[in-house]
Amino acid sequence: QVQLMESGGGSEQAGGSHRLSCVASGLPASVHCMAWFRQAPGKEREGVAAIADSATKYAESVEGRFTISEDNAENTLYLQMNSLKPEDRAMYYCAAAPGQYYCPPLRRTAFTYWGQGTQVTVSS
Protein backbone atom coordinates (compact mmCIF):
# COMPACT_ATOMS: atom_id res chain seq x y z
CA GLN A 1 0.00 0.00 0.00
CA VAL A 2 1.33 3.41 -0.97
CA GLN A 3 1.36 5.94 1.82
CA LEU A 4 2.48 9.55 1.89
CA MET A 5 2.28 11.06 5.33
CA GLU A 6 2.91 14.75 5.88
CA SER A 7 3.91 16.23 9.20
CA GLY A 8 5.25 19.46 10.59
CA GLY A 9 2.26 21.67 10.01
CA GLY A 10 1.64 24.40 12.52
CA SER A 11 1.52 28.10 13.15
CA GLU A 12 4.18 30.69 12.53
CA GLN A 13 4.37 34.43 12.37
CA ALA A 14 5.06 36.27 9.15
CA GLY A 15 8.77 36.36 8.48
CA GLY A 16 9.36 33.15 10.36
CA SER A 17 10.47 29.72 9.20
CA HIS A 18 8.98 26.27 9.22
CA ARG A 19 9.75 22.84 7.83
CA LEU A 20 7.39 20.20 6.53
CA SER A 21 8.17 16.52 6.15
CA CYS A 22 6.63 13.74 4.11
CA VAL A 23 7.44 10.12 4.76
CA ALA A 24 6.77 7.84 1.82
CA SER A 25 6.25 4.11 1.90
CA GLY A 26 5.28 1.56 -0.70
CA LEU A 27 6.12 3.78 -3.66
CA PRO A 28 6.84 1.96 -6.93
CA ALA A 29 10.40 2.08 -8.15
CA SER A 30 9.20 4.05 -11.17
CA VAL A 31 8.53 7.09 -8.97
CA HIS A 32 11.31 9.67 -9.19
CA CYS A 33 9.41 12.93 -8.85
CA MET A 34 8.13 14.22 -5.56
CA ALA A 35 6.35 17.50 -5.01
CA TRP A 36 4.56 19.78 -2.62
CA PHE A 37 1.20 21.31 -3.41
CA ARG A 38 -0.93 23.61 -1.34
CA GLN A 39 -4.53 24.66 -1.24
CA ALA A 40 -5.98 27.64 0.56
CA PRO A 41 -9.70 27.88 1.35
CA GLY A 42 -11.66 28.85 -1.72
CA LYS A 43 -8.68 28.43 -4.02
CA GLU A 44 -7.44 25.73 -6.35
CA ARG A 45 -4.69 23.37 -5.36
CA GLU A 46 -1.42 24.69 -6.72
CA GLY A 47 2.04 23.29 -7.15
CA VAL A 48 4.67 24.72 -4.83
CA ALA A 49 7.85 22.80 -5.53
CA ALA A 50 9.05 19.58 -7.10
CA ILE A 51 12.21 17.51 -7.11
CA ALA A 52 13.50 14.65 -9.24
CA ASP A 53 17.06 13.38 -8.96
CA SER A 54 18.17 16.67 -7.38
CA ALA A 55 16.60 18.81 -10.09
CA THR A 56 14.14 21.25 -8.55
CA LYS A 57 11.47 23.65 -9.66
CA TYR A 58 9.46 26.19 -7.72
CA ALA A 59 6.40 28.29 -8.08
CA GLU A 60 7.27 31.94 -8.56
CA SER A 61 5.44 32.80 -5.37
CA VAL A 62 7.90 30.80 -3.24
CA GLU A 63 11.10 31.07 -5.28
CA GLY A 64 13.96 32.15 -3.06
CA ARG A 65 12.01 31.46 0.12
CA PHE A 66 11.21 27.74 0.02
CA THR A 67 13.56 24.84 -0.53
CA ILE A 68 12.52 21.32 -1.44
CA SER A 69 14.82 18.43 -0.62
CA GLU A 70 14.70 14.72 -0.03
CA ASP A 71 16.49 12.13 2.03
CA ASN A 72 16.35 8.98 -0.03
CA ALA A 73 17.77 6.83 2.74
CA GLU A 74 14.86 7.83 4.95
CA ASN A 75 12.28 8.02 2.15
CA THR A 76 11.47 11.50 3.35
CA LEU A 77 10.63 14.67 1.46
CA TYR A 78 11.10 18.09 3.03
CA LEU A 79 9.93 21.59 2.41
CA GLN A 80 11.89 24.28 4.19
CA MET A 81 9.84 27.46 4.32
CA ASN A 82 11.56 30.73 5.12
CA SER A 83 10.34 34.31 5.16
CA LEU A 84 6.78 33.13 5.52
CA LYS A 85 3.98 35.35 4.34
CA PRO A 86 0.30 35.31 5.31
CA GLU A 87 -0.53 34.12 1.80
CA ASP A 88 1.46 30.95 2.49
CA ARG A 89 -1.34 29.80 4.76
CA ALA A 90 -2.78 26.63 3.25
CA MET A 91 -3.15 22.92 3.50
CA TYR A 92 0.09 21.46 2.18
CA TYR A 93 0.09 18.14 0.35
CA CYS A 94 2.87 15.76 -0.52
CA ALA A 95 2.58 14.16 -3.95
CA ALA A 96 4.45 11.71 -6.14
CA ALA A 97 4.46 11.03 -9.86
CA PRO A 98 5.84 8.06 -11.74
CA GLY A 99 8.30 8.99 -14.44
CA GLN A 100 11.74 8.52 -15.83
CA TYR A 101 14.07 10.84 -13.94
CA TYR A 102 12.09 14.01 -14.42
CA CYS A 103 9.10 15.83 -13.05
CA PRO A 104 5.98 16.55 -15.04
CA PRO A 105 4.46 20.03 -14.98
CA LEU A 106 3.17 20.97 -11.54
CA ARG A 107 -0.44 20.16 -12.23
CA ARG A 108 -2.59 18.13 -9.90
CA THR A 109 -3.62 15.70 -12.62
CA ALA A 110 0.00 14.76 -13.34
CA PHE A 111 0.56 13.29 -9.89
CA THR A 112 -0.63 9.86 -8.94
CA TYR A 113 -0.07 9.56 -5.21
CA TRP A 114 -1.13 12.00 -2.52
CA GLY A 115 -0.88 12.49 1.19
CA GLN A 116 -3.74 13.72 3.31
CA GLY A 117 -2.25 17.14 3.92
CA THR A 118 -0.94 19.16 6.83
CA GLN A 119 -2.13 22.61 7.78
CA VAL A 120 0.18 25.61 7.84
CA THR A 121 -0.98 28.91 9.25
CA VAL A 122 0.88 32.19 9.10
CA SER A 123 -0.18 35.12 11.21
CA SER A 124 0.42 38.69 10.17
Side-chain angles (χ1 to χ4, degrees):
Q1 180 180 355
V2 174
Q3 289 190 7
L4 299 176
M5 188 170 295
E6 303 94 337
S7 63
S11 300
E12 186 58 80
Q13 292 186 332
S17 298
H18 214 77
R19 189 177 75 163
L20 305 180
S21 300
C22 171
V23 178
S25 62
L27 284 175
S30 60
V31 170
H32 298 285
C33 179
M34 301 289 292
W36 289 98
F37 285 71
R38 67 184 182 185
Q39 187 168 19
K43 297 184 178 180
E44 297 181 356
R45 191 171 299 186
E46 62 176 354
V48 176
I51 183 169
D53 297 325
S54 299
T56 59
K57 63 172 64 176
Y58 298 92
E60 290 184 3
S61 59
V62 306
E63 180 72 39
R65 299 188 299 119
F66 290 10
T67 302
I68 187 171
S69 62
E70 59 185 347
D71 184 337
N72 294 123
E74 298 292 335
N75 296 316
T76 303
L77 181 74
Y78 299 99
L79 184 67
Q80 178 66 45
M81 304 181 291
N82 298 328
S83 301
L84 284 163
K85 301 177 180 180
E87 52 263 43
D88 295 321
R89 182 182 187 274
M91 185 74 75
Y92 283 74
Y93 297 89
C94 177
Q100 195 64 39
Y101 305 108
Y102 68 93
C103 278
L106 276 173
R107 296 193 296 267
R108 183 174 182 174
T109 55
F111 287 78
T112 304
Y113 307 105
W114 294 87
Q116 77 289 342
T118 186
Q119 182 69 45
V120 174
T121 60
V122 183
S123 61
S124 60

